[in-house]
Amino acid sequence: MGIDTAQSPVAGTTDVEVAARLCAIMARLGGTGPRPGAHAQIRRLTTAAFPRPLGDPAYRTNALNPGGTPVEVSFSEQTPLALRFDLVRGHPDTALADRRADALRLADVPVSTARRWAPYFADDRFGGFVSAIIGADGTAAKAYLEVRRSRDVLAALGSRQGLHESLLDAVPGLEPHFVALDGARFAANPRMYYECRNGIALSTLVDWAAGHGLTRHALAAAHVARRLTGRLILPEAGVLLALDTTSDTVELKLELTGGVLDGDPLAAIRAVLVERPHAERAFRDWCDAVDQPVRPTMVSVRICADGPLLSVYAGLAP
């Protein structure tokens, strides 16, 4: 079953409802109003995305937010005033290959990039979904695409393959899971996501990061992760690593899904951010802008030169 993105949303449909809610969040975040074209980009990404009401039980099997809705909004310390959202588009029974093609097209991923990765795509759980960031600097879209769980996938990374190989060597049981590819207007290096099949000790990440000049940042990130999870060794279920590189920087993200977060995740996030008052205020403003009870589905801890930095994800309520 394909995704008919040529169809226009009809007044009163879920597509229109989701677009209106995203536009409202953006307006509350931006203060002075969105950039020209922002509303059109939101409509473009939501048109024909939701053929059923968000609360429909059929959506609960979606891989983006299992048990919840197939659309998430997120807060990032890197871009606290930007509207950030992810969508699993189409009918719950849409073919995974169709989801992948839809995400590639809507994110405007260059054809040459898509062709390079095509031999490594997989259709195991979700195929693909699309993500967008709309802020003062413009709009950026990404396609998140499922890949084969094999080291062969790393060949598509070219000169950066060795760095990714070193991470797999350092973390037993780490497997490629999906890749984030940027749109043509904001082309950047692919970010590869890995699933920690055997769990992971935070000390392992510190040891790997130390080899890339990030010892202090990794230790701080491990401290944050322990406060969020109550653990020094994270279980195999619900932990991802994401590695992103440029010519002179390395960024490693530790993705903690809801099942790993300890106790009251919202309280733990605020306790971490209160040590950075500007970030804590920004997160409080984001929660107000979302205008619904925020129940984190995932928290990302970035190990990078400016880090550790948090991103917080929450499903859009039905």
Side-chain angles (χ1 to χ4, degrees):
M1 180 185 297
I3 301 175
D4 182 10
T5 54
Q7 173 188 344
S8 297
V10 178
T13 65
T14 307
D15 294 344
V16 170
E17 173 198 346
V18 171
R21 291 174 66 182
L22 292 174
C23 287
I25 293 171
M26 179 174 60
R28 288 189 287 266
L29 282 172
T32 58
R35 290 175 56 89
H39 288 165
Q41 177 69 340
I42 291 172
R43 289 195 299 271
R44 176 174 177 265
L45 294 176
T46 54
T47 295
F50 306 106
R52 296 170 179 251
L54 285 187
D56 193 304
Y59 281 135
R60 292 176 185 167
T61 58
N62 81 87
L64 177 65
N65 178 22
T69 58
V71 51
E72 285 186 336
V73 291
S74 61
F75 164 83
S76 170
E77 283 192 75
Q78 290 184 315
T79 54
L81 296 180
L83 172 69
R84 302 165 55 96
F85 61 94
D86 307 308
L87 306 173
V88 176
R89 295 167 40 84
H91 190 279
D93 295 331
T94 296
L96 301 187
D98 289 340
R99 290 196 193 282
R100 179 174 62 248
D102 184 57
L104 284 165
R105 182 178 58 80
L106 285 174
D108 194 25
V109 173
V111 173
S112 59
T113 300
R115 286 176 176 168
R116 185 170 74 252
W117 283 90
Y120 307 107
F121 289 144
D123 296 323
D124 293 331
R125 290 184 57 205
F126 64 88
F129 64 88
V130 66
S131 172
I133 303 174
I134 300 176
D137 296 330
T139 301
K142 289 186 178 185
Y144 288 77
L145 308 157
E146 198 170 15
V147 297
R148 299 204 317 256
R149 295 176 178 270
S150 166
R151 284 198 180 206
D152 295 345
V153 169
L154 303 185
L157 293 165
S159 62
R160 295 170 178 82
Q161 179 176 351
L163 180 65
H164 288 255
E165 291 275 8
S166 74
L167 182 63
L168 267 68
D169 290 340
V171 183
L174 205 62
E175 290 183 352
H177 186 13
F178 56 95
V179 65
L181 301 180
D182 287 86
R185 291 180 58 213
F186 298 88
N189 297 312
R191 174 180 286 149
M192 180 68 77
Y193 287 75
Y194 299 96
E195 188 169 18
C196 303
R197 303 284 287 188
N198 297 336
I200 186 169
L202 294 175
S203 60
T204 300
L205 294 185
V206 174
D207 291 342
W208 181 86
H212 303 281
L214 293 170
T215 303
R216 176 171 58 86
H217 310 287
L219 285 169
H223 174 68
V224 168
R226 184 183 182 186
R227 292 179 66 178
L228 292 171
T229 65
R231 308 167 189 254
L232 287 173
I233 299 176
L234 304 178
E236 65 277 7
V239 181
L240 302 175
L241 293 179
L243 181 57
D244 189 13
T245 65
T246 66
S247 59
D248 57 358
T249 64
V250 174
E251 178 181 283
L252 184 66
K253 293 173 63 182
L254 176 61
E255 308 272 13
L256 307 168
T257 62
V260 181
L261 299 173
D262 185 42
D264 183 347
L266 197 58
I269 292 163
R270 287 172 169 158
V272 168
L273 292 178
V274 77
E275 298 173 1
R276 303 192 290 277
H278 179 75
E280 195 276 333
R281 286 194 300 271
F283 180 64
R284 187 170 60 242
D285 291 344
W286 178 80
C287 290
D288 291 341
V290 171
D291 196 30
Q292 68 175 50
V294 172
R295 298 182 175 88
T297 55
M298 184 170 69
V299 179
S300 169
V301 185
R302 295 173 186 262
I303 302 173
C304 58
D306 299 324
L309 299 174
L310 294 190
S311 295
V312 181
Y313 299 78
L316 201 65

